[in-house]
Amino acid sequence: MTQTHTEHYQREDGRAIELTYAEPDNVVRGGLVVLHEADRVTDGVRLLIASLAAEGWLAAAPRIEGEAVREQVLAATDITLAWLVDRGVPADLLGVVGFDLGGTAALMVAADRMLGAAVSVGGQGGKELAALTEIASRLTSPWLGIFGDAGDESAAAEVELLREAAAKSGAVTNVVRYPGANHRFDADPKAAVEAWQRTLSWFDAHLR
């Protein structure tokens, strides 16, 4: 398994953050900011970072303290993007990915920053639908949203509204809904595997 590392990174302008990252063993295909779901980097996040690195991506997760509000998410993402560029990743090969609450954060970034690709997996995270659809309508980066509806008709309808909002943004988007799967995909291994492959394929297609 690819090893993860943690370092304190500080810019010349004084901005600083703690990053957990993993590097590919061979050629770096691009750089990915990994947004976590709470105020800490868990073993699950480290596994995700290592798995992305095994696929050729230099992946880094900034530690975002407290509630991940928009300004904090964007600031942490900007510093992490700068770290990736410092490591030699070209600006057009940068992306962002988030799972669960991190998926909502990735959607926010995709609407406020021009990146090569963005992916949200199960990113509803308790946010109100109106807020999510408003964000999706402003997307500026190619965005893939992957959601489960937990077998709930209202949740399924909400995902479809999110799909429509994203399509109106003018960005390249795709929204995939898995009937019956929950937002973490932990009760549906088949859907989880397919969601992972869709994530990799999205970055393959847009970061090249």
Side-chain angles (χ1 to χ4, degrees):
M1 175 62 69
T2 304
Q3 295 295 310
T4 61
H5 311 274
T6 299
E7 73 170 50
H8 180 79
Y9 173 67
Q10 183 166 338
R11 302 283 291 162
E12 292 183 356
D13 60 9
R15 292 180 299 164
I17 204 163
E18 182 179 285
L19 294 172
T20 299
Y21 68 94
E23 300 177 282
D25 292 332
N26 299 306
V27 177
V28 175
R29 303 174 59 193
L32 299 177
V33 179
V34 180
L35 298 174
H36 56 75
E37 62 181 77
D39 62 349
R40 61 194 177 94
V41 176
T42 63
D43 288 342
V45 174
R46 292 187 183 89
L47 177 60
L48 172 60
I49 293 169
S51 298
L52 289 168
E55 296 291 336
W57 306 103
L58 175 57
R63 179 167 182 174
I64 303 174
E65 302 284 354
E67 185 180 355
V69 297
R70 177 177 173 273
E71 291 74 16
Q72 288 177 300
V73 169
L74 293 175
T77 299
D78 287 343
I79 299 173
T80 309
L81 290 170
W83 181 87
L84 290 167
V85 171
D86 284 352
R87 289 295 184 108
V89 179
D92 59 345
L93 296 180
L94 295 171
V96 61
V97 59
F99 287 70
D100 198 20
L101 288 177
T104 296
L107 175 60
M108 288 191 290
V109 171
D112 284 275
R113 297 291 183 267
M114 188 74 72
L115 297 175
V119 177
S120 299
V121 181
Q124 296 186 56
K127 295 284 187 178
E128 292 297 328
L129 175 63
L132 280 181
T133 54
E134 193 277 329
I135 293 170
S137 70
R138 297 186 288 103
L139 283 164
T140 58
S141 302
W143 177 70
L144 169 65
I146 303 175
F147 302 94
D149 62 20
D152 182 83
E153 290 185 5
S154 62
E158 290 175 355
V159 174
E160 296 308 312
L161 287 174
L162 186 60
R163 184 200 308 278
E164 294 173 7
K168 294 176 181 176
S169 69
V172 177
T173 64
N174 186 25
V175 175
V176 180
R177 177 172 59 86
Y178 287 92
N182 63 22
H183 67 287
R184 290 179 178 269
F185 289 85
D186 51 12
D188 191 335
K190 182 179 179 180
V193 170
E194 188 173 323
W196 174 247
Q197 291 303 319
R198 285 183 181 273
T199 297
L200 296 178
S201 295
W202 190 259
F203 289 131
D204 288 344
H206 294 281
L207 300 181
R208 53 188 307 172

